[in-house]
Amino acid sequence: METVTILLVLAVFIAVLYGLWTMQKKHVAFSKRVFTGLGAGVVFGAVLQLLFGAEGTVTSQAMEWISLVGTGYVRFLQMLIMPLVFVSIIRAFTKIEGTKNLGKISATVLTTLLATTAVAALLGILSVMLFNLDGAEFVQGAAEAARIQELQESQQQVADLTIADQLVNFIPTNFFEDLAGLRDTSVISVVIFSAFVGMAYLGVRRKDPENGEMFERIIGSVYAIVMRIVTLVLRLAPYGIFALMTRALATSSFQALINLAVFVIASYAAIIVMFLLHMLILAAVKVNPVQYLKKAWPVLGFAFSSRSSAGALPLNIEIQRHALGVDDASANFAGTFGLSIGQNGCAGIYPAMLAAIVAPSVGMDLFDPITILTIVAVVTISSFGVAGVGGGATFAALIVLGTLGMPVTIVGLVISVEPIIDMARTMLNVNDSILAGVVSSRRIGEFDDAVLNDESAIVSSDM
């Protein structure tokens, strides 16, 4: 009987996939198809959860096949990350007229990412205080105990590293090792190497224009090929998002949400407030937040359902360039830097909240301004190099808690609600990287308001 039920579940899943394919054939707008996939995933996943339970046999076996679509889509996107980071950074240099804009773009992007992370960390602390979570104790079950043991082993790998040591680790010693993504800091290492290549190009262009022009054409051709691959992969977005959202809702523990309800609510409260602050910043640089959200929704929806900032990179850059009016250089810098620097959700709010919860247990007065400033400073500095994939928030929390001399037990105790919170955190991360691109583009005077206000200027899988 269970086999028949599983086949029926998969038949419904395939029927929805067919419906999304039909919408594509009828040339329904890409954003509408993404929204449809997201909504269908929420409904279908919730129904599976209610009917068969998060750990039931039907749900577990059906997810094996449903994950083939969702995980497969994320892996296709991850396949593009390192090539896209490498070629995007170099191409950004080829699009910069002189070094003046280079300095403005890099300074503006980094300042935006780090400043908003500091604010996010402060909001995380204030949220803990508002919901009276400082010193809170959570239930420890078998899963939590196993996770705590894993975390303690992981912390040993970074326990003896100072912040200075961590920064040194960003510098690549073997570019090809980092291009293969074999280190936790590989993304930012590829960014650094690409920046050196870009600066070398600027020197060659000035002293040897002929070779400079040849290199620019080569990079332009490679970039065109990579972006064409991106287009092919993006055509799968509605299907992938539907599968990812189905799995997220079907396998989430409602009981865990009840047990840790206050922590989940506090986390979402901080994330929502930070998101609203992003909108205020957009308004301050004369970008209509409503119009912005209409254009940015596809990548924000994907980030929410996939929980992968890195996986969202191709769509992130495309939406900045083709839907929002951000210049190429700012879009490429902001998108790639935002993968591993200043992630507001995973490297800002989350580690700050955990540190604030644990603070009283190690004798720190959370209402002391020095304590608050110390946590904010450590979180902001530690936000460098956080990987934009699943597990980045845990890595950030281990660094922050270790630096502050706090136990890592708290990270394991909230594992059961991690996926639910991580969806919103990832969306906030991606939104902040786009925000940095918009602010940078506006500052150098290259932001195209006509593109932002053009309703037909959207990211399409048929681009």
Side-chain angles (χ1 to χ4, degrees):
M1 185 62 183
E2 285 185 344
T3 301
V4 174
T5 305
I6 293 169
L7 291 175
L8 288 174
V9 169
L10 294 177
V12 174
F13 177 73
I14 292 172
V16 177
L17 292 180
Y18 179 77
L20 292 171
W21 180 78
T22 302
M23 292 176 68
Q24 180 178 337
K25 287 297 181 182
K26 293 182 178 179
H27 303 289
V28 175
F30 180 69
S31 59
K32 291 182 179 179
R33 285 185 279 127
V34 168
F35 181 81
T36 301
L38 181 63
V42 170
V43 174
F44 189 44
V47 170
L48 292 179
Q49 163 83 266
L50 293 172
L51 292 180
F52 308 110
E55 299 179 358
T57 303
V58 173
T59 301
S60 299
Q61 294 190 17
M63 287 308 114
E64 290 183 11
W65 293 98
I66 291 175
S67 294
L68 180 65
V69 177
T71 305
Y73 177 59
V74 172
R75 289 177 71 90
F76 274 127
L77 286 168
Q78 290 175 335
M79 169 187 74
L80 293 167
I81 293 168
M82 291 306 185
L84 187 57
V85 168
F86 179 60
V87 75
S88 294
I89 289 292
I90 298 176
R91 187 174 186 273
F93 279 88
T94 68
K95 292 296 180 180
I96 293 173
E97 296 297 333
T99 58
K100 183 178 180 181
N101 277 350
L102 172 60
K104 282 186 177 181
I105 292 172
S106 57
T108 303
V109 168
L110 288 174
T111 299
T112 302
L113 292 173
L114 293 177
T116 52
T117 299
V119 174
L122 179 60
L123 284 175
I125 297 171
L126 294 177
S127 183
V128 168
M129 296 167 66
L130 178 64
F131 288 89
N132 296 317
L133 285 172
D134 45 307
E137 297 182 358
F138 301 121
V139 176
Q140 178 176 327
E144 287 77 12
R147 179 59 170 165
I148 290 170
Q149 183 176 355
E150 292 177 11
L151 291 170
Q152 290 172 337
E153 294 173 357
S154 298
Q155 192 185 35
Q156 295 303 314
Q157 301 174 12
V158 297
D160 298 327
L161 291 178
T162 64
I163 291 180
D165 291 332
Q166 295 164 30
L167 294 176
V168 169
N169 281 340
F170 298 157
I171 302 174
T173 56
N174 184 339
F175 169 67
F176 295 100
E177 177 186 20
D178 289 315
L179 197 60
L182 298 179
R183 299 195 301 148
D184 290 332
T185 58
S186 285
V187 173
I188 195 169
S189 295
V190 171
V191 169
I192 291 172
F193 182 82
S194 303
F196 269 93
V197 174
M199 287 187 286
Y201 157 77
L202 292 178
V204 171
R205 185 178 68 178
R206 185 176 62 255
K207 297 180 179 180
D208 188 356
E210 184 177 346
N211 279 326
E213 290 176 6
M214 180 182 297
F215 182 80
E216 181 179 353
R217 287 196 297 271
I218 292 173
I219 290 298
S221 297
V222 174
Y223 185 80
I225 294 296
V226 171
M227 294 314 295
R228 182 56 187 169
I229 299 174
V230 168
T231 298
L232 296 175
V233 173
L234 288 183
R235 290 179 177 174
L236 303 174
Y239 315 105
I241 288 174
F242 167 56
L244 289 167
M245 208 64 216
T246 296
R247 185 171 187 237
L249 267 292
T251 58
S252 295
S253 171
F254 288 170
Q255 185 59 48
L257 286 175
I258 295 173
N259 294 339
L260 292 168
V262 177
F263 178 71
V264 174
I265 293 171
S267 298
Y268 266 82
I271 291 169
I272 291 171
V273 172
M274 193 63 214
F275 192 84
L276 293 176
L277 286 178
H278 285 181
M279 297 302 105
L280 289 177
I281 295 173
L282 287 172
V285 295
K286 299 180 180 179
V287 172
N288 187 325
V290 175
Q291 185 68 4
Y292 166 86
L293 289 174
K294 287 170 62 177
K295 294 296 191 73
W297 168 249
V299 68
L300 297 181
F302 171 75
F304 186 84
S305 56
S306 69
R307 298 167 51 203
S308 173
S309 300
L313 178 62
L315 194 53
N316 181 337
I317 293 176
E318 284 297 273
I319 281 180
Q320 286 193 60
R321 293 171 60 232
H322 295 291
L324 297 175
V326 176
D327 65 283
D328 282 3
S330 294
N332 288 319
F333 268 109
T336 51
F337 280 16
L339 285 185
S340 52
I341 298 174
Q343 294 192 347
N344 286 188
C346 291
I349 290 174
Y350 183 67
M353 286 187 68
L354 297 186
I357 292 172
V358 174
S361 69
V362 293
M364 297 177 70
D365 181 7
L366 194 57
F367 292 89
D368 183 351
I370 300 300
T371 299
I372 294 176
L373 290 176
T374 299
I375 294 175
V376 169
V378 170
V379 168
T380 303
I381 295 172
S382 300
S383 69
F384 279 88
V386 175
V389 294
T394 299
F395 180 73
L398 290 177
I399 295 294
V400 170
L401 295 174
T403 302
L404 293 171
M406 297 177 174
V408 299
T409 305
I410 182 68
V411 183
L413 293 178
V414 298
I415 182 178
S416 55
V417 293
E418 178 74 5
I420 298 298
I421 300 173
D422 195 39
M423 292 191 291
R425 283 196 318 236
T426 306
M427 185 176 73
L428 186 66
N429 295 341
V430 172
N431 195 68
D432 190 51
S433 70
I434 300 175
L435 173 68
V438 172
V439 173
S440 170
S441 190
R442 182 66 86 185
R443 185 188 177 197
I444 65 173
E446 295 291 336
F447 188 82
D448 193 341
D449 288 282
V451 173
L452 174 67
N453 297 318
D454 184 357
E455 297 294 340
S456 64
I458 57 175
V459 170
S460 168
S461 61
D462 300 322
M463 285 188 331

